[in-house]
Coordinates of all heavy atoms in Angstrom, one line a residue:
M24 N 8.7 5.3 -31.0 CA 8.4 5.1 -29.5 C 7.0 4.4 -29.4 O 6.1 4.9 -30.1 CB 8.3 6.4 -28.7 CG 8.4 6.2 -27.2 SD 8.8 7.6 -26.2 CE 8.0 9.0 -26.8
S25 N 6.9 3.4 -28.6 CA 5.6 2.6 -28.6 C 4.7 3.2 -27.5 O 5.2 3.9 -26.6 CB 5.9 1.2 -28.2 OG 6.5 1.1 -27.0
A26 N 3.5 2.9 -27.6 CA 2.4 3.4 -26.6 C 2.6 2.7 -25.3 O 3.0 1.5 -25.3 CB 1.0 3.2 -27.2
P27 N 2.5 3.3 -24.2 CA 2.5 2.7 -22.9 C 1.6 1.6 -22.7 O 0.4 1.6 -23.3 CB 2.3 3.7 -21.9 CG 1.7 4.9 -22.7 CD 2.0 4.7 -24.1
R28 N 1.9 0.5 -22.1 CA 1.1 -0.6 -21.9 C 0.0 -0.3 -20.9 O 0.1 0.3 -19.9 CB 1.9 -1.8 -21.3 CG 1.2 -3.1 -21.3 CD 2.1 -4.2 -20.9 NE 1.9 -4.3 -19.4 CZ 2.8 -4.8 -18.5 NH1 3.9 -5.1 -19.0 NH2 2.5 -4.8 -17.3
K29 N -1.2 -0.7 -21.3 CA -2.4 -0.5 -20.4 C -2.3 -1.4 -19.2 O -1.9 -2.4 -19.3 CB -3.7 -0.7 -21.2 CG -3.9 0.3 -22.3 CD -5.4 0.3 -22.7 CE -5.5 1.3 -23.7 NZ -6.9 1.7 -23.8
L30 N -2.9 -0.8 -18.1 CA -2.8 -1.5 -16.8 C -4.1 -2.3 -16.7 O -5.2 -1.8 -17.1 CB -2.6 -0.6 -15.6 CG -1.3 0.1 -15.6 CD1 -1.3 1.1 -14.4 CD2 -0.1 -0.8 -15.6
S31 N -4.1 -3.5 -16.0 CA -5.3 -4.2 -15.7 C -6.0 -3.5 -14.6 O -5.5 -2.7 -13.9 CB -5.0 -5.6 -15.4 OG -4.4 -5.7 -14.1
G32 N -7.2 -3.9 -14.4 CA -8.0 -3.3 -13.2 C -7.4 -3.6 -12.0 O -7.3 -2.8 -11.0
L33 N -6.8 -4.8 -11.7 CA -6.1 -5.2 -10.4 C -4.9 -4.3 -10.3 O -4.6 -3.9 -9.1 CB -5.8 -6.7 -10.4 CG -6.8 -7.6 -9.9 CD1 -6.3 -9.0 -10.0 CD2 -7.3 -7.2 -8.5
Q34 N -4.2 -4.1 -11.3 CA -2.9 -3.3 -11.2 C -3.3 -1.8 -10.8 O -2.6 -1.3 -10.1 CB -2.2 -3.3 -12.6 CG -1.6 -4.6 -12.9 CD -1.0 -4.7 -14.4 OE1 -1.7 -4.2 -15.3 NE2 0.2 -5.3 -14.5
K35 N -4.4 -1.4 -11.4 CA -4.9 -0.1 -11.0 C -5.2 0.0 -9.6 O -4.8 1.0 -8.9 CB -6.0 0.4 -11.9 CG -5.7 0.7 -13.4 CD -6.8 1.0 -14.1 CE -6.4 1.3 -15.7 NZ -7.6 1.6 -16.4
D36 N -5.9 -1.0 -9.1 CA -6.3 -1.0 -7.7 C -5.1 -1.1 -6.8 O -5.0 -0.4 -5.7 CB -7.1 -2.3 -7.5 CG -8.6 -2.3 -8.1 OD1 -8.9 -1.1 -8.4 OD2 -9.2 -3.3 -8.2
V37 N -4.0 -1.9 -7.1 CA -2.8 -1.9 -6.3 C -2.2 -0.5 -6.3 O -1.8 -0.1 -5.2 CB -1.9 -3.0 -6.8 CG1 -0.5 -2.9 -6.1 CG2 -2.4 -4.4 -6.7
L38 N -2.0 0.1 -7.5 CA -1.5 1.5 -7.5 C -2.3 2.4 -6.7 O -1.8 3.3 -6.0 CB -1.2 1.9 -8.9 CG -0.2 1.2 -9.7 CD1 -0.2 1.6 -11.2 CD2 1.1 1.4 -9.1
R39 N -3.6 2.4 -6.8 CA -4.4 3.2 -6.0 C -4.3 3.0 -4.5 O -4.2 4.1 -3.8 CB -5.9 3.0 -6.4 CG -6.9 4.0 -5.8 CD -8.3 3.7 -6.1 NE -8.4 3.7 -7.6 CZ -8.9 2.7 -8.4 NH1 -9.2 1.5 -7.8 NH2 -9.0 2.8 -9.7
L40 N -4.2 1.8 -4.1 CA -4.0 1.5 -2.6 C -2.6 2.2 -2.2 O -2.5 2.7 -1.1 CB -4.0 0.1 -2.3 CG -3.8 -0.4 -0.9 CD1 -4.7 0.3 0.1 CD2 -3.8 -1.9 -0.7
Y41 N -1.6 2.0 -3.0 CA -0.2 2.4 -2.7 C -0.3 4.0 -2.5 O 0.2 4.5 -1.7 CB 0.8 2.0 -3.7 CG 2.2 2.5 -3.4 CD1 2.8 1.8 -2.3 CD2 2.9 3.4 -4.0 CE1 4.2 2.2 -1.9 CE2 4.1 3.8 -3.8 CZ 4.8 3.2 -2.6 OH 6.1 3.6 -2.5
R42 N -0.9 4.7 -3.6 CA -1.0 6.1 -3.4 C -1.9 6.6 -2.3 O -1.5 7.5 -1.6 CB -1.7 6.7 -4.8 CG -0.8 6.6 -5.9 CD -1.3 7.5 -7.2 NE -2.5 7.0 -7.5 CZ -2.9 6.1 -8.5 NH1 -1.9 5.6 -9.1 NH2 -4.1 5.8 -8.7
D43 N -2.9 5.8 -1.9 CA -3.7 6.1 -0.8 C -2.9 6.0 0.5 O -3.1 6.8 1.5 CB -5.0 5.2 -0.7 CG -6.1 5.5 -1.8 OD1 -6.0 6.6 -2.4 OD2 -7.0 4.7 -2.0
C44 N -2.1 5.0 0.6 CA -1.2 4.9 1.7 C -0.3 6.0 1.9 O -0.1 6.6 2.9 CB -0.4 3.6 1.7 SG -1.4 2.1 1.9
L45 N 0.3 6.5 0.8 CA 1.3 7.6 0.8 C 0.5 8.9 1.2 O 1.0 9.7 1.9 CB 1.9 7.8 -0.5 CG 2.9 6.6 -0.9 CD1 3.5 6.9 -2.2 CD2 3.9 6.4 0.1
R46 N -0.7 9.1 0.6 CA -1.5 10.3 1.0 C -1.9 10.2 2.5 O -1.9 11.3 3.1 CB -2.8 10.3 0.1 CG -2.5 10.8 -1.3 CD -3.8 10.9 -2.0 NE -3.5 11.0 -3.4 CZ -4.0 10.3 -4.3 NH1 -4.7 9.2 -4.1 NH2 -3.6 10.4 -5.6
A47 N -2.2 9.0 3.0 CA -2.6 8.9 4.4 C -1.5 9.3 5.3 O -1.6 9.8 6.4 CB -3.2 7.6 4.6
A48 N -0.3 9.0 4.9 CA 1.0 9.3 5.7 C 1.1 10.7 5.9 O 1.6 11.1 6.9 CB 2.2 8.6 5.0
R49 N 0.6 11.5 5.0 CA 0.7 13.0 5.1 C -0.2 13.5 6.3 O 0.0 14.6 6.7 CB 0.2 13.7 3.9 CG 1.2 13.6 2.7 CD 0.8 14.5 1.6 NE 0.8 13.6 0.4 CZ 0.1 13.8 -0.7 NH1 -0.9 14.6 -0.7 NH2 0.1 13.0 -1.8
Q50 N -1.2 12.7 6.7 CA -2.0 13.0 7.8 C -1.3 12.9 9.2 O -1.8 13.3 10.2 CB -3.3 12.3 7.9 CG -4.0 12.3 6.5 CD -4.6 13.7 6.2 OE1 -5.0 14.4 7.1 NE2 -4.5 14.0 5.0
K51 N -0.1 12.3 9.2 CA 0.5 11.8 10.5 C 1.5 12.9 10.8 O 1.8 13.8 10.0 CB 1.3 10.5 10.3 CG 0.4 9.4 10.1 CD -0.5 9.2 11.2 CE -1.5 8.1 11.0 NZ -2.4 7.9 12.2
P52 N 1.9 13.0 12.0 CA 2.9 14.0 12.5 C 4.2 14.1 11.5 O 4.6 12.9 11.0 CB 3.4 13.5 13.9 CG 2.2 12.8 14.4 CD 1.6 12.1 13.1
E53 N 4.7 15.1 11.3 CA 5.8 15.3 10.4 C 7.0 14.4 10.7 O 7.6 13.8 9.7 CB 6.4 16.8 10.6 CG 7.5 17.2 9.6 CD 6.9 17.5 8.2 OE1 5.8 18.0 8.1 OE2 7.6 17.2 7.3
E54 N 7.4 14.2 12.0 CA 8.5 13.4 12.2 C 8.3 11.8 12.0 O 9.2 11.1 11.8 CB 9.0 13.5 13.7 CG 8.0 13.1 14.8 CD 6.9 14.2 15.1 OE1 7.0 15.3 14.5 OE2 6.0 13.8 15.9
S55 N 7.0 11.4 11.9 CA 6.8 10.0 11.7 C 6.3 9.6 10.3 O 6.2 8.5 9.9 CB 5.7 9.5 12.7 OG 4.5 10.1 12.4
R56 N 6.2 10.6 9.4 CA 5.8 10.4 8.0 C 6.8 9.5 7.2 O 6.4 8.6 6.6 CB 5.6 11.7 7.3 CG 4.5 12.5 7.7 CD 4.3 13.8 7.0 NE 3.3 14.6 7.7 CZ 3.1 15.8 7.4 NH1 3.7 16.5 6.4 NH2 2.1 16.5 8.1
P57 N 8.1 9.8 7.4 CA 9.0 8.8 6.6 C 8.9 7.4 7.1 O 9.0 6.4 6.3 CB 10.4 9.3 7.0 CG 10.2 10.7 7.5 CD 8.8 10.8 8.0
H58 N 8.5 7.1 8.4 CA 8.3 5.7 8.8 C 7.1 5.1 8.2 O 7.2 3.9 7.8 CB 8.1 5.7 10.3 CG 9.3 6.3 11.2 ND1 9.1 6.9 12.4 CD2 10.6 6.4 10.8 CE1 10.3 7.3 12.7 NE2 11.1 7.0 11.8
F59 N 6.1 5.9 8.0 CA 4.8 5.3 7.4 C 5.1 5.0 5.9 O 4.6 4.0 5.4 CB 3.6 6.3 7.6 CG 3.0 6.2 8.9 CD1 3.3 7.0 10.0 CD2 2.0 5.3 9.1 CE1 2.7 6.9 11.2 CE2 1.3 5.2 10.4 CZ 1.7 6.0 11.4
R60 N 5.8 6.0 5.2 CA 6.0 5.8 3.8 C 7.0 4.5 3.6 O 6.8 3.7 2.7 CB 6.7 7.0 3.2 CG 5.7 8.1 3.0 CD 6.4 9.2 2.2 NE 7.5 9.9 2.8 CZ 7.4 11.0 3.5 NH1 6.3 11.6 3.7 NH2 8.5 11.6 4.1
A61 N 8.0 4.4 4.5 CA 8.9 3.3 4.4 C 8.2 1.9 4.7 O 8.4 1.0 4.0 CB 10.0 3.5 5.3
F62 N 7.3 2.0 5.7 CA 6.6 0.8 6.0 C 5.6 0.4 4.8 O 5.6 -0.8 4.4 CB 5.7 1.0 7.2 CG 5.0 -0.2 7.7 CD1 5.6 -1.2 8.4 CD2 3.6 -0.4 7.3 CE1 4.9 -2.4 8.8 CE2 2.9 -1.5 7.8 CZ 3.5 -2.5 8.4
A63 N 4.9 1.3 4.2 CA 4.1 1.0 3.1 C 4.9 0.4 1.9 O 4.7 -0.6 1.3 CB 3.4 2.2 2.6
R64 N 6.0 1.1 1.6 CA 6.9 0.5 0.5 C 7.4 -0.9 0.8 O 7.4 -1.7 -0.1 CB 8.0 1.5 0.3 CG 8.9 1.1 -0.8 CD 10.1 2.0 -1.0 NE 10.9 1.6 -2.1 CZ 10.9 2.2 -3.4 NH1 10.1 3.2 -3.6 NH2 11.7 1.7 -4.3
A65 N 7.7 -1.1 1.9 CA 8.3 -2.5 2.4 C 7.2 -3.4 2.2 O 7.4 -4.6 1.8 CB 8.9 -2.4 3.8
E66 N 6.0 -3.2 2.7 CA 4.9 -4.1 2.5 C 4.6 -4.4 1.2 O 4.4 -5.6 0.8 CB 3.6 -3.6 3.3 CG 3.8 -3.6 4.8 CD 3.9 -4.9 5.4 OE1 3.1 -5.8 5.1 OE2 4.9 -5.2 6.1
F67 N 4.5 -3.5 0.2 CA 4.3 -3.7 -1.2 C 5.4 -4.5 -1.8 O 5.2 -5.4 -2.5 CB 4.1 -2.4 -1.8 CG 2.6 -1.9 -1.8 CD1 2.3 -1.2 -0.6 CD2 1.7 -2.3 -2.7 CE1 1.0 -0.8 -0.5 CE2 0.4 -1.8 -2.6 CZ 0.0 -1.0 -1.5
E68 N 6.6 -4.1 -1.4 CA 7.8 -4.9 -2.1 C 7.9 -6.2 -1.6 O 8.5 -7.1 -2.3 CB 9.2 -4.1 -1.7 CG 9.3 -2.8 -2.5 CD 10.6 -2.1 -2.2 OE1 11.3 -2.4 -1.2 OE2 10.9 -1.2 -3.0
K69 N 7.5 -6.5 -0.4 CA 7.6 -7.9 0.2 C 6.7 -8.8 -0.7 O 7.1 -9.9 -0.8 CB 7.0 -7.9 1.7 CG 6.9 -9.1 2.2 CD 6.5 -9.0 3.8 CE 5.0 -8.5 3.9 NZ 4.5 -8.6 5.2
N70 N 5.7 -8.3 -1.3 CA 4.7 -9.3 -2.0 C 5.0 -9.3 -3.5 O 4.3 -10.0 -4.3 CB 3.3 -8.9 -1.8 CG 3.1 -9.1 -0.3 OD1 3.1 -10.3 0.2 ND2 2.6 -8.1 0.4
I71 N 5.9 -8.4 -4.0 CA 6.2 -8.2 -5.5 C 6.6 -9.6 -6.0 O 6.0 -10.1 -7.0 CB 7.2 -7.2 -5.8 CG1 6.6 -5.8 -5.6 CG2 7.8 -7.3 -7.1 CD1 7.6 -4.7 -5.9
G72 N 7.6 -10.3 -5.5 CA 8.0 -11.5 -6.1 C 7.5 -12.7 -5.6 O 7.8 -13.9 -6.0
S73 N 6.6 -12.6 -4.6 CA 6.0 -13.9 -4.0 C 4.8 -14.4 -4.7 O 4.4 -15.5 -4.4 CB 5.6 -13.6 -2.6 OG 4.6 -12.7 -2.5
M74 N 4.4 -13.8 -5.8 CA 3.1 -14.4 -6.5 C 3.2 -14.0 -8.0 O 4.0 -13.1 -8.4 CB 1.9 -13.8 -5.8 CG 1.6 -12.3 -6.1 SD 0.2 -11.8 -5.4 CE 0.5 -12.0 -3.6
K75 N 2.4 -14.7 -8.7 CA 2.4 -14.5 -10.2 C 1.4 -13.3 -10.4 O 0.5 -13.0 -9.6 CB 1.8 -15.7 -10.9 CG 2.7 -16.8 -10.8 CD 2.1 -18.0 -11.6 CE 3.0 -19.2 -11.5 NZ 2.4 -20.3 -12.1
R76 N 1.6 -12.5 -11.4 CA 0.8 -11.4 -11.8 C -0.6 -11.8 -12.1 O -1.5 -11.0 -12.1 CB 1.4 -10.6 -12.9 CG 2.7 -10.1 -12.8 CD 3.4 -9.5 -14.0 NE 2.9 -8.0 -14.0 CZ 3.2 -7.2 -15.1 NH1 4.0 -7.8 -16.0 NH2 2.9 -6.1 -15.0
T77 N -0.8 -13.1 -12.5 CA -2.0 -13.6 -12.9 C -2.8 -14.2 -11.9 O -4.0 -14.7 -12.0 CB -2.0 -14.5 -14.1 OG1 -1.0 -15.6 -13.7 CG2 -1.2 -13.9 -15.4
D78 N -2.3 -14.2 -10.6 CA -2.9 -14.8 -9.4 C -4.0 -13.9 -8.9 O -3.6 -13.2 -7.9 CB -2.0 -15.3 -8.5 CG -2.6 -16.2 -7.3 OD1 -3.8 -16.4 -7.4 OD2 -1.7 -16.7 -6.5
A79 N -5.1 -13.7 -9.5 CA -6.0 -12.6 -9.1 C -6.6 -12.9 -7.7 O -6.8 -11.8 -7.0 CB -7.3 -12.6 -10.1
K80 N -6.8 -14.1 -7.3 CA -7.4 -14.3 -5.9 C -6.4 -13.9 -4.8 O -6.8 -13.2 -3.9 CB -7.7 -15.8 -5.8 CG -8.9 -16.3 -6.5 CD -9.2 -17.7 -6.1 CE -10.4 -18.1 -7.0 NZ -10.8 -19.5 -6.7
A81 N -5.1 -14.2 -5.0 CA -4.1 -13.7 -4.0 C -4.0 -12.2 -4.0 O -3.9 -11.6 -2.9 CB -2.7 -14.4 -4.3
I82 N -4.0 -11.6 -5.1 CA -3.9 -10.2 -5.3 C -5.1 -9.5 -4.6 O -4.9 -8.5 -3.8 CB -3.6 -9.7 -6.8 CG1 -2.3 -10.2 -7.3 CG2 -3.7 -8.1 -6.8 CD1 -2.2 -10.1 -8.7
E83 N -6.3 -10.0 -5.0 CA -7.5 -9.4 -4.2 C -7.4 -9.6 -2.8 O -7.8 -8.6 -2.1 CB -8.8 -10.1 -4.9 CG -9.0 -9.7 -6.3 CD -10.1 -10.5 -6.9 OE1 -10.5 -11.6 -6.4 OE2 -10.5 -10.1 -8.0
Y84 N -7.0 -10.7 -2.3 CA -6.8 -10.9 -0.9 C -5.9 -9.9 -0.2 O -6.3 -9.3 0.8 CB -6.4 -12.3 -0.6 CG -6.0 -12.6 0.9 CD1 -7.0 -12.7 1.8 CD2 -4.7 -12.6 1.2 CE1 -6.5 -12.9 3.1 CE2 -4.3 -12.7 2.5 CZ -5.3 -12.9 3.5 OH -4.9 -13.1 4.8
L85 N -4.7 -9.8 -0.8 CA -3.8 -8.8 -0.3 C -4.3 -7.3 -0.4 O -4.0 -6.5 0.5 CB -2.4 -8.9 -1.0 CG -1.7 -10.1 -0.7 CD1 -0.5 -10.2 -1.6 CD2 -1.3 -10.1 0.8
L86 N -5.1 -7.0 -1.3 CA -5.8 -5.6 -1.5 C -6.7 -5.5 -0.3 O -6.6 -4.4 0.3 CB -6.5 -5.5 -2.7 CG -5.6 -5.2 -4.0 CD1 -6.5 -5.3 -5.2 CD2 -5.1 -3.8 -3.8
R87 N -7.4 -6.5 0.0 CA -8.4 -6.3 1.2 C -7.6 -6.2 2.5 O -7.9 -5.4 3.3 CB -9.3 -7.6 1.3 CG -10.4 -7.6 0.1 CD -11.5 -8.7 0.5 NE -10.9 -10.0 0.7 CZ -10.7 -10.9 -0.4 NH1 -11.0 -10.5 -1.6 NH2 -10.2 -12.0 -0.2
V88 N -6.6 -7.0 2.7 CA -5.7 -6.9 3.9 C -5.0 -5.6 3.9 O -5.1 -4.9 5.0 CB -4.7 -8.0 3.9 CG1 -3.7 -7.9 5.0 CG2 -5.4 -9.4 4.0
G89 N -4.6 -5.1 2.8 CA -3.9 -3.8 2.7 C -4.9 -2.7 3.2 O -4.5 -1.7 3.9
R90 N -6.1 -2.7 2.6 CA -7.0 -1.7 2.9 C -7.4 -1.6 4.4 O -7.5 -0.6 5.0 CB -8.3 -1.8 2.0 CG -8.2 -1.5 0.7 CD -9.4 -1.5 -0.1 NE -9.2 -1.5 -1.6 CZ -9.3 -2.5 -2.4 NH1 -9.8 -3.6 -2.1 NH2 -9.1 -2.3 -3.7
R91 N -7.6 -2.9 4.9 CA -7.9 -3.0 6.5 C -6.8 -2.4 7.2 O -7.0 -1.6 8.2 CB -8.2 -4.4 6.8 CG -9.7 -4.7 6.6 CD -10.0 -6.0 7.2 NE -10.1 -7.0 6.0 CZ -9.5 -8.1 5.9 NH1 -9.1 -8.7 7.0 NH2 -9.6 -8.8 4.8
R92 N -5.5 -2.7 6.9 CA -4.4 -2.3 7.6 C -4.2 -0.8 7.6 O -3.9 -0.1 8.5 CB -3.0 -2.9 7.1 CG -2.8 -4.3 7.6 CD -1.4 -4.7 7.2 NE -1.1 -6.0 7.7 CZ 0.1 -6.6 7.4 NH1 1.0 -6.1 6.5 NH2 0.3 -7.8 7.9
M93 N -4.4 -0.3 6.4 CA -4.4 1.2 6.1 C -5.4 1.9 7.1 O -5.1 2.9 7.7 CB -4.6 1.7 4.7 CG -4.3 3.1 4.5 SD -4.6 3.6 2.8 CE -6.3 3.7 2.8
E94 N -6.6 1.3 7.2 CA -7.6 2.0 8.0 C -7.1 2.0 9.5 O -7.4 2.9 10.2 CB -8.9 1.2 7.9 CG -9.6 1.5 6.6 CD -10.9 0.8 6.4 OE1 -11.4 0.1 7.4 OE2 -11.4 0.6 5.2
Q95 N -6.6 0.8 10.0 CA -6.1 0.7 11.2 C -5.0 1.7 11.6 O -5.0 2.4 12.6 CB -5.6 -0.7 11.6 CG -6.7 -1.7 11.6 CD -6.2 -3.2 11.6 OE1 -5.0 -3.4 11.5 NE2 -7.0 -4.1 12.1
Y96 N -4.0 1.8 10.7 CA -2.9 2.5 10.9 C -3.2 4.1 10.8 O -2.4 4.9 11.4 CB -1.7 2.2 9.9 CG -1.1 0.8 10.1 CD1 -0.6 0.1 9.1 CD2 -1.1 0.3 11.4 CE1 -0.2 -1.2 9.2 CE2 -0.5 -1.1 11.6 CZ -0.1 -1.8 10.4 OH 0.4 -3.0 10.7
M97 N -4.2 4.4 10.1 CA -4.6 5.7 10.0 C -5.4 6.3 11.0 O -5.8 7.5 11.1 CB -5.3 6.0 8.6 CG -4.3 5.9 7.4 SD -2.8 6.7 7.6 CE -1.6 5.4 7.8
S98 N -5.8 5.5 12.0 CA -6.4 5.9 13.2 C -5.6 7.1 13.9 O -4.4 7.1 13.8 CB -6.6 4.8 14.1 OG -7.0 5.2 15.5
A99 N -6.4 7.9 14.5 CA -5.7 9.2 15.2 C -4.8 8.7 16.3 O -3.8 9.3 16.7 CB -6.8 10.1 15.7
N100 N -5.1 7.5 16.9 CA -4.4 7.0 18.0 C -3.0 6.5 17.6 O -2.1 6.4 18.4 CB -5.1 5.9 18.7 CG -6.4 6.4 19.2 OD1 -6.5 7.5 19.7 ND2 -7.4 5.5 19.3
V101 N -2.8 6.2 16.3 CA -1.5 5.6 15.8 C -0.7 6.8 15.4 O -1.0 7.5 14.4 CB -1.7 4.6 14.6 CG1 -0.3 4.1 14.2 CG2 -2.6 3.4 15.1
R102 N 0.4 7.1 16.1 CA 1.2 8.3 15.8 C 2.5 7.9 15.1 O 3.2 8.7 14.4 CB 1.5 9.0 17.1 CG 0.3 9.5 17.7 CD 0.6 10.5 18.9 NE -0.5 10.9 19.6 CZ -1.4 11.9 19.3 NH1 -1.0 12.6 18.2 NH2 -2.3 12.2 20.0
D103 N 2.9 6.7 15.2 CA 4.2 6.3 14.5 C 4.1 4.8 14.2 O 3.3 4.1 14.9 CB 5.4 6.6 15.4 CG 6.7 6.7 14.6 OD1 6.6 6.4 13.5 OD2 7.7 7.1 15.2
I104 N 5.0 4.3 13.4 CA 5.0 3.0 13.0 C 6.4 2.5 12.8 O 7.2 3.4 12.3 CB 4.2 2.7 11.8 CG1 3.9 1.2 11.5 CG2 4.8 3.2 10.6 CD1 2.8 0.9 10.6
T105 N 6.8 1.2 13.2 CA 8.2 0.8 12.9 C 8.0 -0.6 12.4 O 7.1 -1.4 12.7 CB 9.0 0.8 14.3 OG1 8.4 0.0 15.2 CG2 9.2 2.1 14.9
K106 N 9.0 -1.0 11.7 CA 9.2 -2.3 11.1 C 9.8 -3.2 12.2 O 10.8 -2.9 12.8 CB 10.0 -2.3 9.9 CG 10.1 -3.6 9.2 CD 9.2 -3.7 8.1 CE 9.6 -4.9 7.2 NZ 8.5 -5.6 6.8
V107 N 9.1 -4.3 12.6 CA 9.7 -5.2 13.7 C 10.5 -6.3 13.0 O 10.2 -6.8 12.0 CB 8.6 -5.8 14.5 CG1 9.0 -5.7 16.0 CG2 7.3 -5.1 14.4

C-alpha cells in the first residue's frame, strides 16, 4: 500500500473552508441545517470542474469569496437558505 498523497497549502485551505461551512451549519435551526449543508456542497461542486488545480489565483479568489459568503450566511438573521 502506498503512502497517501500530501495536500498542497491551497488544497488544505479549501478543505478547511468546507469543514468550516459544515460546522457553521450546525449553528442554524435544526430544520434548515440540511439546506445549508446542501448549499455548501453545491457551491464547492460547482467550481470543481471549472478550473485547473494549478490555477492558484482563481482558487485564492474563490476562497476569499467563500469566506465572505460564509460570514454573511452565518449571521443570526439568516435562518434558512435555498438554491435559486
Side-chain angles (χ1 to χ4, degrees):
M24 195 158 49
S25 65
R28 195 176 87 205
K29 290 195 175 204
L30 298 176
S31 73
L33 275 178
Q34 288 171 321
K35 289 178 183 178
D36 290 343
V37 170
L38 289 172
R39 185 177 305 118
L40 177 60
Y41 185 68
R42 284 192 308 267
D43 289 346
C44 289
L45 295 180
R46 284 186 192 115
R49 289 188 227 149
Q50 306 295 321
K51 295 300 179 179
E53 185 77 33
E54 63 276 358
S55 64
R56 288 179 193 171
H58 302 152
F59 279 94
R60 286 192 296 266
F62 183 80
R64 182 179 179 105
E66 287 297 305
F67 277 83
E68 285 181 346
K69 178 173 67 173
N70 295 303
I71 284 176
S73 66
M74 70 181 63
K75 295 180 182 177
R76 298 173 90 179
T77 57
D78 192 356
K80 287 183 181 182
I82 295 169
E83 289 170 349
Y84 169 75
L85 288 172
L86 280 169
R87 286 192 303 273
V88 169
R90 286 184 191 111
R91 272 185 262 141
R92 278 189 180 177
M93 187 182 75
E94 288 175 11
Q95 290 173 343
Y96 296 147
M97 292 309 113
S98 164
N100 297 332
V101 179
R102 297 188 185 276
D103 202 353
I104 194 167
T105 57
K106 182 107 169 132
V107 221

